Amino acid sequence: MVSLKNGSHSVLINQGELISYKENDYEFIHQKGSPGWGHSDTEMFPIIGPTEGAGYRVQVPKGNAIQDQHGLLRELVYTRDTADEKSASFSKEYKAGTVVENSKYPKKSRVPRLIWPFNFRFEKRFELLEDRLEISFIIRGDKDMPYMLGYHPAFQLRSASARVVSDNDSYSLEEVMSAGNKALQVANTDRLTLMDEREMEFATNGFGHFMLWSPVANMICVEPVTFYPYAVEQQFLHEGFMHLNEPRVEFSIALTPK
């Protein structure tokens, strides 16, 4: 467990997972054990979205890519690299062709093992500033590796009138829940605000889009993504890939409570 503190802001991180973000003792993060999702955050990499409809295969330029929903990164364990009072960093490394056991099998999946034909290193960095929490994701790997990236944090809701607001639109909790497991797409924006008893502003860099998902009225996931996976049929999921054409790429999100 890693604890960060800066003035009235505090953060708890458990093996790379953000499990608490408080400002003046007001908890913003969805707590495990509460109705809804069984996690508080995770990453979607190297693919976003379901793959069952494509036989769990994703088309890539080389090798065999067997991926379950949202990719295999979540099956790997974070290593803590650094930690001090106001920052911490974690990483996961994957060697091309390594077989990874699928924790969804057999209850929620028909494929027992996952595999990806590219090497990569994935870093997750937290920095707690005086007024916000910044989370960065750094990807290194084989040149031209295809990938998608999504960040999947969950937030507590305390009001039935909670809304998510963009520069051009507003989305009620009812609308988000009505979208079901496909999640509600918010395209072509790098900023959103969650309006509840307290507000949380989201400012991203590199992602370009958001998805909104909620299975219950007491939580919502505000997810920056590089690609909305339901824009295509599952067998064409590869159309959403970016490619690693630099030694490293970085994405970030700033969470600013109001």
Side-chain angles (χ1 to χ4, degrees):
M1 189 79 72
V2 174
S3 175
L4 309 182
K5 179 75 175 174
N6 194 339
S8 62
H9 294 244
S10 62
V11 162
L12 284 177
I13 306 160
N14 185 20
Q15 295 181 330
E17 183 178 12
L18 176 65
I19 62 171
S20 176
Y21 180 22
K22 294 181 180 179
E23 199 274 324
N24 282 327
D25 293 324
Y26 186 97
E27 180 64 77
F28 288 94
I29 302 300
H30 168 69
Q31 298 298 290
K32 295 181 181 182
S34 299
W37 193 37
H39 303 274
S40 53
D41 88 343
T42 193
E43 290 76 52
M44 301 175 282
F45 180 89
I47 62 100
I48 304 170
T51 58
E52 182 180 8
Y56 300 96
R57 266 66 176 176
V58 181
Q59 182 176 323
V60 295
K62 67 175 184 179
N64 195 15
I66 303 174
Q67 298 289 295
D68 207 335
Q69 177 150 335
H70 297 330
L72 59 66
L73 184 73
R74 58 176 60 192
E75 301 292 356
L76 308 180
V77 177
Y78 272 116
T79 297
R80 186 177 73 181
D81 296 325
T82 64
D84 56 34
E85 185 181 5
K86 298 176 182 177
S87 65
S89 64
F90 303 81
S91 63
K92 297 181 179 184
E93 293 198 43
Y94 177 80
K95 184 178 179 181
T98 301
V99 174
V100 176
E101 298 294 321
N102 184 10
S103 62
K104 292 178 177 291
Y105 177 84
K107 292 185 177 180
K108 296 182 178 180
S109 175
R110 293 183 287 108
V111 62
R113 298 174 185 86
L114 311 175
I115 194 169
W116 184 245
F118 300 90
N119 299 291
F120 66 78
R121 175 182 170 86
F122 188 95
E123 299 175 33
K124 183 179 186 181
R125 299 178 180 176
F126 298 86
E127 184 175 8
L128 185 59
L129 304 176
E130 291 183 356
D131 63 339
R132 65 191 183 276
L133 173 63
E134 293 190 352
I135 307 173
S136 302
F137 308 95
I138 295 93
I139 302 168
R140 297 178 173 87
D142 290 343
K143 182 174 175 55
D144 295 326
M145 179 183 74
Y147 71 94
M148 307 170 199
L149 175 62
Y151 178 47
H152 194 309
F155 300 89
Q156 287 192 39
L157 294 178
R158 296 172 173 83
S159 170
S161 60
R163 306 184 69 83
V164 177
V165 178
S166 70
D167 289 339
N168 301 314
D169 216 334
S170 177
Y171 308 91
S172 68
L173 177 59
E174 182 179 2
E175 288 176 280
V176 175
M177 294 180 69
S178 294
N181 286 334
K182 286 188 174 181
L184 184 67
Q185 180 185 21
V186 184
N188 302 313
T189 186
D190 57 8
R191 292 180 178 270
L192 289 180
T193 302
L194 173 59
M195 314 283 288
D196 194 28
E197 284 185 0
R198 294 276 305 273
E199 295 181 14
M200 176 69 80
E201 291 183 356
F202 305 87
T204 67
N205 183 49
F207 289 97
H209 316 280
F210 283 88
M211 300 194 304
L212 306 176
W213 175 70
S214 177
V216 291
N218 61 279
M219 62 155 278
I220 188 170
C221 293
V222 181
E223 310 169 34
V225 294
T226 59
F227 177 68
Y228 179 67
Y230 300 98
V232 297
E233 297 295 328
Q234 289 184 27
Q235 61 267 34
F236 301 115
L237 194 60
H238 60 276
E239 294 180 3
F241 278 135
M242 304 173 74
H243 291 84
L244 192 62
N245 51 20
E246 300 177 14
R248 70 188 293 277
V249 292
E250 182 170 345
F251 301 80
S252 65
I253 179 169
L255 312 180
T256 306
K258 299 294 182 179

